[in-house]
Amino acid sequence: MTSVEYYDEKVETASREEILRIQFNKLEALLKKVYASNQFYRKKFDSYGITPSAICSLNDLQKVPFTVKKEFEEEQEKHPIFGTNLTEPLENYVQYHQTSGTTGKPLKFLDTRESWDWRGKCACYVMKAAGVRKGDRIFFPFNFGPYTAFWIIYEGAYQLGNLIIPAGGWDSLQRLQSIIENQATVIPVTPSYAIRLGEIAYENHIDIANSGVRIIMLSGEPGGLVPGIREKIQHLWGAQCYDWIGMTEVGAWAFQCTEQPNAVHILESEFIAEIVDSEAATPVQEGKVGELVLTNLGRSCMPSIRYRTGDLARVKKGLCLCGRTFQLLDGGIIGRKDSMVIIRGVNIFPNVLYDIIENHIQSEDDYRIEAYRGKEGDEIAIQLEIGDNSRKEEVQRAIQSEIKKKLNLRIEVKTFTKGTFPKSDYKAKRFIDRRKESSV
Ligand SMILES: [Zn+2]
């Protein structure tokens, strides 16, 4: 075992009782503050007949109503610009971000100086768990847009006192040259862009596998916990990959440590995570899959309380070799509730297919998965973009046969010429859901 880095060892290795005590104390303070001056939550709690004084233990959290994304959306629509989920006067807010709007109208989120510091602190936990040390140079290979994802890693790096190298406004080649020239050691990036940068380095004879880069921090898409993707990135970069999970609505709430290739820790000192049956909305048995519900404890200015994420997860029992006592989620996010495709009675999440596809393609290739409504229910078509025409048939057959073997399903696999799919240096859109469109 390599030496484990902690951000706050006392908290990260605390007993279960201590973690629950930290959570309750923070929850109590949050509810009091929010109820006193947040119009959105006060109205919501009043309509359920709940006051903060009714919450005397963590078990009482179940009395608090859930929040769903649609409520936030309607709220901002009805009360432009920022809605009424604001606990402080508008002039106290210093940071603006928004969601990408892939599942609806973008949601606007604001932070005060205090909540922004908290978001950065969450990122510090994430970075230390990935093994970031004093002296590491953190390289950001993209433009900083209105999405929070990498802004908070930037803030975390600043708080930790690491050198930050921003590389927006450059092309991929300039970024790679700067990584080498400035001896960057840590790259926060999306999995698809990590692969694309690796591919460009290879084409341009830039030896990134033997550069100083030792840590790739992945987020934004499934990757760090999909073995096929993780291994490809590790091979291209000669570095270790670590996943972390965040949402604009809640913050960076889970991270991979150096000792768990297939699970993430929940940042339990800053978030309360519940796993509920997505239909009945009651807690599932430990170890069973359910919908993840999150409460962020350090963002009272614009909180998300019992927020239904739509993500499915399951708790992994047992302790981690890293010494952290924060609970683990087996495989991270298993999939989104709405991305499950049921093909002839078999439940499939895109992640399972990503893993199979990645086993057979090369870094110059690309792929997308399209779900649609067929005559007999959900169907999936895999679209492959293969760089070398002579490999098309072989790759197509290999993927089809592995799917048949592992899932006992026949899935259509089509091939396309390289350059057909749109490319992005942020997120690749790999899952296209056409099931709500008219059936084909
Ligand atoms: Zn661990």
Side-chain angles (χ1 to χ4, degrees):
M1 187 173 106
T2 49
S3 77
V4 173
E5 297 274 332
Y6 297 103
Y7 175 61
D8 187 338
E9 185 170 354
K10 202 163 152 253
V11 168
E12 290 173 82
T13 59
S15 65
R16 197 76 219 141
E17 295 72 37
E18 178 62 9
I19 290 172
L20 298 180
R21 196 188 59 77
I22 293 172
Q23 287 184 327
F24 180 69
N25 288 347
K26 290 187 178 178
L27 177 71
E28 198 179 27
L30 172 80
L31 293 177
K32 261 190 205 158
K33 191 171 173 190
V34 167
Y35 190 71
S37 57
N38 181 303
Q39 210 185 313
F40 171 78
Y41 273 109
R42 180 160 188 132
K43 215 164 110 193
K44 194 170 164 69
F45 291 176
D46 282 348
S47 70
Y48 282 78
I50 293 282
T51 57
S53 58
I55 312 304
C56 305
S57 70
L58 279 179
N59 285 336
D60 286 339
L61 184 61
Q62 286 187 45
K63 296 179 187 168
V64 173
F66 291 115
T67 307
V68 294
K69 191 173 191 177
K70 204 166 172 41
E71 286 176 90
F72 285 154
E73 285 169 356
E74 285 171 2
E75 182 45 32
Q76 293 197 346
E77 188 111 348
K78 252 194 273 171
H79 305 282
I81 309 167
F82 305 113
T84 60
N85 180 19
L86 301 169
T87 311
E88 299 194 27
L90 212 46
E91 66 264 26
N92 287 6
Y93 293 81
V94 297
Q95 291 275 359
Y96 168 98
H97 290 98
Q98 64 175 55
T99 59
S100 56
T102 40
T103 54
K105 203 173 171 221
L107 269 177
K108 297 170 167 57
F109 272 86
L110 304 180
D111 279 285
T112 59
R113 206 175 281 268
E114 187 192 4
S115 72
W116 190 252
D117 277 352
W118 173 79
R119 279 193 187 250
K121 183 174 130 181
C122 295
C124 291
Y125 280 102
V126 169
M127 297 170 81
K128 292 304 259 182
V132 172
R133 299 188 293 245
K134 200 168 172 46
D136 269 320
R137 294 179 189 168
I138 327 272
F139 189 94
F140 291 86
F142 39 75
N143 298 319
F144 280 88
Y147 314 125
T148 41
F150 292 102
W151 274 104
I152 55 177
I153 295 294
Y154 182 97
E155 176 61 28
Y158 183 73
Q159 287 188 20
L160 288 176
N162 287 88
L163 183 68
I164 296 165
I165 307 171
W170 278 346
D171 64 26
S172 298
L173 195 54
Q174 286 169 314
R175 286 169 182 161
L176 284 162
Q177 282 158 348
S178 178
I179 287 169
I180 303 285
E181 187 184 320
N182 293 304
Q183 296 172 8
T185 55
V186 179
I187 320 273
V189 63
T190 57
S192 53
Y193 193 52
I195 292 175
R196 200 162 142 234
L197 265 183
E199 177 191 326
I200 293 166
Y202 183 78
E203 284 163 9
N204 289 280
H205 311 291
I206 297 172
D207 187 10
I208 46 159
N210 289 306
S211 70
V213 177
R214 60 185 197 90
I215 297 172
I216 307 280
M217 295 184 59
L218 298 172
S219 200
E221 309 159 343
L225 292 153
V226 177
I229 299 180
R230 181 178 64 227
E231 280 152 25
K232 185 172 286 180
I233 298 172
Q234 294 193 157
H235 175 73
L236 275 167
W237 286 83
Q240 289 300 307
C241 288
Y242 299 102
D243 215 28
W244 62 278
I245 312 173
M247 285 180 90
T248 311
E249 300 94 305
V250 291
W253 62 271
F255 56 81
Q256 219 175 342
C257 69
T258 49
E259 310 303 313
Q260 286 281 345
N262 298 313
V264 292
H265 284 284
I266 302 165
L267 180 43
E268 287 189 288
S269 57
E270 312 301 328
F271 297 86
I272 298 174
E274 302 166 78
I275 296 184
V276 303
D277 181 290
S278 51
E279 300 300 323
T282 49
V284 297
Q285 251 182 322
E286 198 186 32
K288 293 267 183 281
V289 174
E291 183 181 349
L292 187 79
V293 175
L294 291 170
T295 300
N296 49 8
L297 299 167
R299 202 159 171 268
S300 60
C301 69
M302 201 172 185
S304 293
I305 299 174
R306 297 200 85 201
Y307 186 69
R308 291 189 67 159
T309 61
D311 288 329
L312 299 176
R314 85 176 138 239
V315 166
K316 183 179 180 182
K317 289 183 195 170
L319 289 174
C320 183
L321 282 174
C322 75
R324 285 179 183 82
T325 45
F326 292 163
Q327 277 194 307
L328 291 160
L329 292 181
D330 199 6
I333 297 299
I334 295 167
R336 283 198 57 78
K337 207 168 58 176
D338 52 13
S339 72
M340 186 170 79
V341 185
I342 306 170
I343 305 176
R344 298 179 279 283
V346 183
N347 297 356
I348 309 261
F349 285 106
N351 286 11
V352 176
L353 297 173
Y354 297 160
D355 193 29
I356 294 176
I357 297 166
E358 292 281 353
N359 282 338
H360 299 281
I361 62 169
Q362 296 181 357
S363 50
E364 56 171 0
D365 307 332
D366 202 357
Y367 60 92
R368 298 195 305 198
I369 293 171
E370 200 172 88
Y372 60 95
R373 192 74 71 195
K375 284 196 184 84
E376 287 156 36
D378 289 353
E379 290 287 351
I380 272 180
I382 293 173
Q383 304 174 342
L384 298 173
E385 198 188 85
I386 304 293
D388 174 2
N389 275 339
S390 67
R391 283 177 35 246
K392 275 184 177 174
E393 258 181 58
E394 176 200 332
V395 178
Q396 191 178 22
R397 262 204 310 271
I399 290 174
Q400 246 165 355
S401 102
E402 195 177 333
I403 292 173
K404 179 89 184 93
K405 204 164 114 198
K406 286 194 170 151
L407 309 172
N408 199 23
L409 279 177
R410 209 186 132 66
I411 284 180
E412 185 188 8
V413 181
K414 289 184 196 161
T415 54
F416 295 84
T417 316
K418 193 167 166 62
T420 309
F421 305 157
K423 297 280 181 286
S424 157
D425 65 359
Y426 188 56
K427 285 189 196 184
K429 190 157 172 53
R430 296 232 189 271
F431 181 67
I432 298 153
D433 196 349
R434 299 200 190 284
R435 286 175 294 174
K436 290 207 175 95
E437 297 170 16
S438 56
S439 52
V440 286

